[in-house]
Amino acid sequence: MESEWGRWNDSKLTFVDVMEDAWKLTVVNAVAKVMVFGSQATANRQEIVGALNRLREQSGDTAPMLWIDVPWETDGDLTARRLGYGVLT
């Protein structure tokens, strides 16, 4: 399990910070893996999840990965974004 909250109000640095921790999961031998992060916006979540999937594929990691996104912020309209989660297989 890894977690990385990233940087408040900076989606680019959040992406970099999350991916810097996520690569550690690819070298660990485990039945399943978990990545917890805090995205800045819906587009940032989608970018991170896509990159997590590519990282798994490119590293040859076949263990399923549960990702959990505990968002930092709203999506700009003062409507709080909800917790997001999924499994990459």
Side-chain angles (χ1 to χ4, degrees):
M1 179 174 158
E2 277 292 331
S3 65
E4 175 56 55
W5 302 112
R7 312 281 174 99
W8 165 252
N9 211 22
D10 192 327
S11 59
K12 289 181 182 182
L13 284 177
T14 293
F15 176 82
V16 170
D17 290 347
V18 170
M19 296 312 295
E20 282 180 349
D21 274 7
W23 76 266
K24 298 174 197 174
L25 291 173
T26 65
V27 298
V28 173
N29 188 14
V31 174
K33 301 172 184 190
V34 178
M35 184 69 208
V36 180
F37 60 91
S39 70
Q40 303 294 324
T42 300
N44 187 222
R45 174 188 289 172
Q46 293 168 343
E47 177 185 35
I48 291 169
V49 172
L52 289 172
N53 198 41
R54 286 189 302 280
L55 178 65
R56 286 182 66 256
E57 290 172 352
Q58 292 173 356
S59 69
D61 188 1
T62 59
M65 179 189 290
L66 169 65
W67 61 267
I68 301 170
D69 177 19
V70 183
W72 277 94
E73 186 59 57
T74 67
D75 236 352
D77 63 358
L78 300 180
T79 304
R81 292 189 310 118
R82 297 185 190 271
L83 174 85
Y85 59 89
V87 177
L88 303 174
T89 58

